[in-house]
Amino acid sequence: MSTAAGGPDLTALLQAAVHAVKGTERPGQVAMAEAVAQAVEDGSHRLVQAGTGTGKSLGYLVPALAQTERVVVATATLALQRQLVERDLPRTVEALQPLLGRRAEFAMLKGRSNYLCLHRLHEGVPKEDEDSLFDPFEAASQPQGGPSSKLGQDLLRIRDWSDDTETGDRDDLRPGVSDRAWSQVSVASRECLGASKCAYGADCFAEAARERAKLAEVVVTNHALLAIDAIEGAPILPDHDLLIVDEAHELVSRVTGVATGELTPGAVNRAVRRAAKLIDEKAADQLQTAAEGFERQMELALPGRLETVPEDLAQVLMALRDAARTCITALGNTRDRSVTDEDAVRKQALASVENVHTVAERVVAASEYDVIWYERHDRFGASLRVAPLSVSGLLREKLFTERTVILTSATLKLGGDFNGVGASLGLGPEGKQSEDLPDWRGLDVGSPFDYRKQGILYVAQHLATPGREGSRTDMLAELSELVEAAGGRTLGLFSSMRAAQLAAEELRGRLDVPVLLQGEETLGELIRRFAEDDRTCLFGTLSLWQGVDVPGAGCQLVVMDRVPFPRPDDPLMAARQKAVEEGGGNGFMAVAATHAALLMAQGAGRLIRASGDRGVVAVLDPRLAKARYGSFLRASMPDFWYTTDRNQVRRSLAAIDESARKATTG
């Protein structure tokens, strides 16, 4: 296929790019590249499932670079963003330059808070009462173990780094610093003074990144910034004709997160303190009184969804909304020249008060398209949250109307088709285009791995069905036997932190293999140690289901303790399930089962990461074999050889362990 009239052949371009990255051309990669090129040509959209090892980055980058319009690539993880910008794009651009007759420019763009703010660095942070007791830049001189010494050391290191960095990007600062330290030298977009008003505007790292993005043909960003660009209506990303969403299974969750509002007593009180320094006493007292009423209300809050907003809460929120509106007006009309660096202080105060106003107003409105609930955290107390019942309409309107969109992931085809994921993205049934529904097609390009020969899916159907409580002694015994047969080499994926902790404690007492537990060290360090020692096990929760890439003998058994359905008391998931049922659909399958299928597909994908990998995915939940929805979940996972024979699995694990030992010693 040609990329354009008289242009180079797509196959030749792909071959050049694959050679440049020292890769191997895969049939699935070729099929993906052709599908992307066709979608660009006819203006339609594609959902492309590309399994591990396909080389999907080049599968979309090559046809994207071949056309002359700007491309935005949005991905969920930092690791893939860095891979694209530091490895794949430089090599691909260089390889394609002789064939295309031009050198494509590329750039990375993130949210403003990811970049060092020179104004904050040099002029200091607008102080709140509790933060003004010390100068963090002098804290490094305190005795070791002092309350602020680590913060001060981090800030001094940031100051030294600021003289050398060309990007100001937090991720270029290695080793990294704490969130608290970074918050002292960065600003959110609402807190930014603006380049024209800031004394450091000409050297602003965030503005420089945006300018580079405007000049680039390929802009690499993240799902969150893509969501902000779509939701808030203030363009952040440059105009583009092709959008590629990698790790697209994460998009709905990321967009939902951006569209979720939250109010806590702590956040409201911060807004009061910030505003009180700049406005008249009457307006400040009004906001203070409203904040106190809100705090009293939240002391009584019980976790759970609010089907309707109680009258007492509504009254408190209306008072808070009105007081915040008064403060916003006052902040715009007054100036206090006695306040040092007043513009920065004002911006910070305005951002805090505007958030209070926006969320309070949204909850009071109680739209049928929003879900409202209380949460309570043991450490941080109660919070009031509001999130969209669905983001499908938003995505359909904002993403698919003015550009070609390619969505790709290793897990988009659930239960045998793309319609479930398509519906969550605002798309109709595949191939059924209308005036209101975008034209799209799904494509599964497979994987270069032979899953049926490389892996086993084992379901422990003899175990008791897991309940909400209890230690599941039979499951722990089964887990211990499997890990022992595997000689360690186990990634344990658990539905809760409590379950992971119980399992780690149990196996540390039973077996002579190292067991690492999420939370006992940074995730990066845990994964490094897991990969370095073949006998080691790593147990944890959600981030491990999707964030571990350990090919070879270090991960030959992946265990899931249960089907990862959302919690029954999750207000947002429960509301979405109920809405589907009220519309005549199957809420359980559309929401709970789809959620579980995505996670299980991702979790199972941790096992086979290279062509020589062998191993077992063990699901210690009999429902995967016995329940009616079990076939849907299994069809969403890689096509492993399936068994419920526990003895066969133990023999297979022992054989894999023996083979790995021989390879290590021989």
Side-chain angles (χ1 to χ4, degrees), residues 358-413:
T358 298
V359 178
E361 186 171 54
R362 185 174 169 188
V363 175
V364 168
S367 167
E368 62 180 307
Y369 302 110
D370 272 339
V371 180
I372 303 165
W373 72 96
Y374 285 128
E375 283 190 4
R376 184 169 287 280
H377 191 280
D378 291 341
R379 180 179 175 187
F380 302 109
S383 64
L384 178 64
R385 310 196 78 194
V386 54
L389 181 61
S390 170
V391 296
S392 59
L394 175 68
L395 289 171
R396 180 171 57 246
E397 176 189 353
K398 300 295 186 180
L399 290 193
F400 295 99
T401 54
E402 297 181 356
R403 61 182 69 81
T404 292
V405 182
I406 309 296
L407 301 112
T408 184
S409 167
T411 49
L412 290 178
K413 193 175 181 181

Side-chain angles (χ1 to χ4, degrees), residues 475 479 482-483 490-494 539 545 557-562 616-620:
M475 183 275 288
L479 173 63
L482 291 170
V483 173
T490 301
L491 177 65
L493 306 177
F494 292 85
F539 291 177
W545 288 72
L557 173 62
V558 173
V559 177
M560 304 180 198
D561 70 324
R562 63 193 297 164
V616 173
V617 172
V619 181
L620 308 185

Side-chain angles (χ1 to χ4, degrees), residues 601-621:
Q602 286 287 312
R606 303 308 97 200
L607 182 68
I608 305 299
R609 309 299 295 178
S611 58
D613 287 354
R614 301 288 187 274
V616 173
V617 172
V619 181
L620 308 185
D621 186 337

Side-chain angles (χ1 to χ4, degrees), residues 375-588:
E375 283 190 4
R376 184 169 287 280
H377 191 280
D378 291 341
R379 180 179 175 187
F380 302 109
S383 64
L384 178 64
R385 310 196 78 194
V386 54
L389 181 61
S390 170
V391 296
S392 59
L394 175 68
L395 289 171
R396 180 171 57 246
E397 176 189 353
K398 300 295 186 180
L399 290 193
F400 295 99
T401 54
E402 297 181 356
R403 61 182 69 81
T404 292
V405 182
I406 309 296
L407 301 112
T408 184
S409 167
T411 49
L412 290 178
K413 193 175 181 181
L414 303 181
D417 63 48
F418 292 90
N419 287 326
V421 171
S424 71
L425 295 166
L427 303 172
E430 183 178 0
K432 295 186 178 179
Q433 180 186 8
S434 69
E435 290 185 6
D436 299 325
L437 296 174
D439 180 20
W440 70 279
R441 296 290 186 278
L443 174 66
D444 182 358
V445 301
S447 168
F449 305 143
D450 189 341
Y451 285 118
R452 292 189 68 79
K453 291 183 178 179
Q454 292 183 246
I456 297 172
L457 172 60
Y458 164 59
V459 180
Q461 69 172 2
H462 62 283
L463 297 179
T465 300
R468 293 194 63 185
E469 302 295 337
S471 62
R472 297 190 65 196
T473 55
D474 61 340
M475 183 275 288
L476 292 174
E478 179 81 7
L479 173 63
S480 179
E481 292 176 14
L482 291 170
V483 173
E484 185 174 27
R489 314 177 191 279
T490 301
L491 177 65
L493 306 177
F494 292 85
S495 53
S496 70
M497 200 61 233
R498 180 174 178 272
Q501 291 166 344
L502 286 172
E505 181 180 343
E506 182 76 14
L507 264 67
R508 284 168 175 169
R510 289 192 185 204
L511 302 178
D512 185 25
V513 296
V515 179
L516 306 176
L517 178 63
Q518 185 178 357
E520 293 182 346
E521 181 55 85
T522 64
L523 187 57
E525 176 64 16
L526 289 172
I527 293 173
R528 184 191 65 79
R529 290 170 59 189
F530 177 54
E532 286 182 351
D533 183 358
D534 290 349
R535 298 180 64 252
T536 297
C537 302
L538 173 58
F539 291 177
T541 56
L542 187 60
S543 56
L544 296 188
W545 288 72
Q546 305 180 79
V548 178
D549 184 7
V550 179
C555 183
Q556 296 186 327
L557 173 62
V558 173
V559 177
M560 304 180 198
D561 70 324
R562 63 193 297 164
V563 176
F565 292 123
R567 298 191 331 268
D569 60 352
D570 183 313
L572 184 56
M573 288 292 193
R576 287 176 170 176
Q577 187 166 320
K578 181 180 179 182
V580 172
E581 291 165 356
E582 290 176 346
N586 186 325
F588 171 78

Side-chain angles (χ1 to χ4, degrees), residues 70-74 217-219 221 226 237-238 240 242-245:
R70 181 181 285 117
V71 181
V72 168
V73 180
E217 286 185 41
V218 181
V219 179
T221 187
L226 177 65
L237 299 171
H240 52 282
L242 174 61
L243 169 64
I244 297 168
V245 182

